[in-house]
C-alpha cells in the first residue's frame, strides 16, 4: 500500500538532493505502508515522485532530533515548531527515491483534494 503525503516544496527539493533522509510526522500510519507518494504543496500542487520507507523511528522529541538531525534537512527551530506540544516524534527513514519526469495530478490517483495530513492510495 502507498500513502500520499503533502510536503512543502523546499523539503521536496532536499529529499531529491539526498540532504533530507528523514521525513517527520506526528504519528505513524495506521496501515502498513512501504511507499510514499510525494505531493509537493503550493505552488507546485503535483505528485512529483516517491520514496520507500526504510523504517520508522518513534522517540522523545529531543532524542529523535539528536538521532536524526544530521539527515533532517531542516532547521532546529522548524523541527521544534512542528512538534510543539508533542511528547513523541515520529520519523520515516527515506530509502530509494524516484523523481518523476512528468509530475502527476491528484486526479490521476482518483483524489479530488490534497489531504491535510495523508491519504492511502491503492497502487
Amino acid at each position: 500500500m502507498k500513502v500520499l503525503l503533502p510536503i512543502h516544496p523546499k523539503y521536496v527539493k532536499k529529499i531529491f538532493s539526498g540532504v533530507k533522509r528523514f521525513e517527520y510526522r506526528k504519528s505513524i500510519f495506521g496501515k502498513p505502508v512501504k511507499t510514499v507518494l510525494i505531493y509537493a504543496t503550493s505552488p507546485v500542487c503535483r505528485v512529483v515522485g516517491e520514496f520507500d520507507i526504510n523504517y520508522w523511528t518513534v522517540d522523545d522529541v529531543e532524542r529523535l532530533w539528536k538521532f536524526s538531525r544530521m539527515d533532517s534537512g531542516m532547521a532546529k527551530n522548524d523541527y521544534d515548531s512542528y512538534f510543539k506540544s508533542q511528547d513523541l516524534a515520529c520519523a520515516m527513514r527515506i530509502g530509494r527515491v524516484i523523481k518523476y519526469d512528468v509530475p502527476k495530478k491528484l486526479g490521476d490517483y482518483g483524489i479530488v483534494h490534497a489531504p491535510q495530513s495523508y491519504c492511502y492510495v491503492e497502487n
Side-chain angles (χ1 to χ4, degrees):
M1 177 165 291
K2 295 180 181 181
V3 70
L4 180 86
L5 203 61
I7 302 174
H8 191 281
K10 74 177 179 179
Y11 295 124
V12 171
K13 288 178 186 176
K14 291 180 178 189
I15 290 170
F16 288 146
S17 72
V19 171
K20 184 168 178 54
R21 303 299 297 155
F22 283 99
E23 176 60 25
Y24 300 104
R25 293 291 144 170
K26 294 177 182 170
S27 62
I28 61 174
F29 308 131
K31 297 179 182 179
V33 172
K34 178 166 175 31
T35 303
V36 170
L37 299 173
I38 303 168
Y39 176 76
T41 59
S42 183
V44 178
C45 300
R46 293 284 187 267
V47 179
V48 295
E50 61 186 67
F51 65 80
D52 289 340
I53 302 171
N54 278 355
Y55 60 85
W56 277 96
T57 299
V58 180
D59 206 339
D60 169 83
V61 173
E62 285 305 311
R63 275 196 304 265
L64 183 59
W65 175 254
K66 288 176 185 172
F67 169 74
S68 63
R69 70 179 177 254
M70 298 304 289
D71 292 321
S72 69
M74 67 189 315
K76 175 74 161 82
N77 62 327
D78 291 335
Y79 178 89
D80 288 342
S81 177
Y82 181 70
F83 286 114
K84 184 179 178 182
S85 303
Q86 297 285 127
D87 294 325
L88 293 176
C90 306
M92 291 171 262
R93 175 66 174 182
I94 297 171
R96 175 188 65 103
V97 178
I98 298 172
K99 182 178 180 181
Y100 297 160
D101 292 331
V102 178
K104 300 178 183 181
K105 296 178 183 177
L106 289 176
D108 295 340
Y109 299 94
I111 300 169
V112 178
H113 301 289
Q116 186 73 14
S117 179
Y118 66 88
C119 69
Y120 296 105
V121 177
E122 299 288 333
N123 295 330

